[in-house]
Amino acid sequence: MASSSTPPPPAEAIDARNWAELPRDVTAMILKKVGVMDLLQSAQKVCMAWRSVSKDPDMWRSIHMSGYVGEDMWDEMGYDVEKMATHAIDRSCGQLVEFSIKGFGSNELLDYIGERASQLRRLHIIYPWGISDDGLSETAKKLPLLEELHIFSGSLSKEALLNVGRCCPHLKSLKFNIRGSRAPYMEYDDEALAIAETMPGLHHLQLLGNNLTDDGLKAILDGCPNLESLDLRHCFNVNLGGSLGERCSEQIKYLRQPYDSTDDCEFDMTFYNGYDDDYSLDDDYPSGFSEIDLMSDVVDEYFEWSGGSDVFEPDSKPYFGDDDDYGDDDD
């Protein structure tokens, strides 16, 4: 007698997965992969369960945001990225420990961070066109626990470094990077001297494109005795031959030299040669942010002409401040 098997149930009998019924910790894990831009604009509107998880301060302990969307800028498309950043900071309820921005930023945004994120440990700023020495200096006074400061900018100077070093005694990692130059007359040790004077606890230092000389490097080696890694790529005024090179080899565990490859850099390492047009050793552009952070076609209130809540229904008129089902005032 031929054996028989139970036929599979019809497709309509199989229950559809209800994403709203996932365990809260699993939902949180999924939403953390989405990225800030999409989470604020669309993912939190999927259902009330996702909305609830998206408002959990633990979701916002680490915030990474980019002003870029492909090769364009969010603000050029009418979005107010800084407003989105302040909403994300508010969601952290003072628990923010890491904040990274690329392609936008202002003194006002830094002040907002200082006022609402005094527990911040890591601050990364890439191409902060609107941030000045005074702005960073004032914010540093409010971030006494800061351990890591990473900056790629040509607009900040020794004054900001001096104040950061004096106000942030726990600082262990500093990246202070700019586009380098091979022009022989551009020698400048002030930033190196500021680091040596105020940051004795540094373990990791990256100075891509800096104009420091051998004297500035010696000051850093003297003033930062705990330094383990030192990246001097594109620091063309430094000569690591002779006794200075020997000292670096003895004191520094991980050393990147001025002419080492920059293929692994997360920045566009175009440098100025001092006379001719720009010459680029690398074609890489800034990275390190989720692609989801760079994509969203959802029309929402983050357009500069709108206001009010951090969500509204895409098919409705622009939202101007009345309470709705998903507003931050609703618990």
Side-chain angles (χ1 to χ4, degrees):
M1 178 177 178
S3 61
S4 61
S5 59
T6 304
E12 60 270 16
I14 302 177
D15 293 335
R17 181 181 297 276
N18 187 344
W19 292 97
E21 295 180 355
L22 287 173
R24 188 178 180 87
D25 58 337
V26 175
T27 300
M29 187 180 303
I30 293 172
L31 293 182
K32 284 181 179 180
K33 301 290 186 181
V34 169
V36 172
M37 309 294 273
D38 268 10
L39 183 54
L40 286 175
Q41 293 182 103
S42 55
Q44 66 175 355
K45 296 184 288 185
V46 168
C47 61
M48 291 304 296
W50 283 30
R51 174 64 174 173
S52 175
V53 173
S54 76
K55 294 176 67 176
D56 187 340
D58 188 62
M59 290 285 298
W60 305 94
R61 289 172 57 82
S62 179
I63 296 173
H64 299 260
M65 298 185 68
S66 174
Y68 294 94
V69 51
E71 296 182 356
D72 300 316
M73 301 290 291
W74 282 107
D75 58 359
E76 294 174 351
M77 300 168 60
Y79 289 87
D80 188 348
V81 185
E82 288 210 13
K83 178 182 177 182
M84 299 170 73
T86 60
H87 283 171
I89 294 167
D90 288 341
R91 291 281 182 92
S92 73
C93 296
Q95 297 184 29
L96 184 63
V97 296
E98 180 175 5
F99 188 76
S100 298
I101 55 175
K102 179 179 70 173
F104 73 99
S106 66
N107 292 338
E108 292 74 21
L109 179 58
L110 281 189
D111 184 66
Y112 201 86
I113 295 170
E115 293 292 340
R116 293 164 175 78
S118 61
Q119 302 299 308
L120 195 72
R121 263 64 167 187
R122 297 179 292 278
L123 177 61
H124 300 173
I125 308 172
I126 305 173
Y127 303 142
W129 310 123
I131 294 176
S132 67
D133 284 339
D134 289 342
L136 183 57
S137 297
E138 288 301 312
T139 299
K141 297 176 183 179
K142 304 169 186 176
L143 302 176
L145 302 180
L146 194 68
E147 299 177 356
E148 186 175 291
L149 177 63
H150 294 177
I151 297 174
F152 188 95
S153 169
S155 62
L156 299 173
S157 72
K158 68 169 185 177
E159 298 302 328
L161 291 176
L162 284 170
N163 286 298
V164 167
R166 291 165 180 160
C167 298
C168 306
H170 301 287
L171 196 67
K172 293 181 175 62
S173 177
L174 174 68
K175 293 184 179 181
F176 191 75
N177 301 321
I178 61 173
R179 294 171 64 186
S181 171
R182 277 181 169 167
Y185 51 82
M186 296 184 67
E187 297 182 350
Y188 188 72
D189 281 324
D190 285 12
E191 293 158 357
L193 296 178
I195 293 169
E197 177 184 341
T198 64
M199 303 181 186
L202 280 185
H203 287 238
H204 310 284
L205 176 61
Q206 185 178 74
L207 294 173
L208 300 182
N210 199 273
N211 291 316
L212 83 163
T213 68
D214 291 359
D215 291 337
L217 177 55
K218 291 175 184 176
I220 288 174
L221 295 176
D222 290 338
C224 306
N226 299 315
L227 208 57
E228 299 176 12
S229 66
L230 177 61
D231 192 341
L232 298 173
R233 284 176 291 174
H234 284 199
C235 297
F236 298 118
N237 296 325
V238 172
N239 181 0
L240 293 181
S243 60
L244 183 57
E246 293 177 1
R247 181 178 178 187
C248 286
S249 297
E250 294 173 356
Q251 185 172 338
I252 306 300
K253 185 179 297 185
Y254 306 103
L255 177 66
R256 304 298 295 272
Q257 302 194 31
Y259 291 91
D260 283 353
S261 172
T262 56
D263 288 344
D264 62 341
C265 285
E266 57 183 317
F267 312 108
D268 173 10
M269 286 306 297
T270 302
F271 68 85
Y272 302 106
N273 63 20
Y275 304 100
D276 303 324
D277 294 335
D278 288 352
Y279 172 73
S280 177
L281 293 179
D282 309 284
D283 293 324
D284 294 336
Y285 286 86
S287 61
F289 294 83
S290 168
E291 292 183 0
I292 297 178
D293 282 343
L294 306 178
M295 299 184 296
S296 178
D297 56 0
V298 179
V299 180
D300 63 16
E301 97 298 354
Y302 291 117
F303 280 109
E304 292 179 351
W305 39 256
S306 68
S309 170
D310 59 353
V311 292
F312 81 105
E313 295 303 321
D315 295 331
S316 66
K317 296 180 180 180
Y319 183 77
F320 288 98
D322 295 331
D323 292 337
D324 67 354
D325 290 340
Y326 288 171
D328 276 339
D329 291 333
D330 294 337
D331 294 322

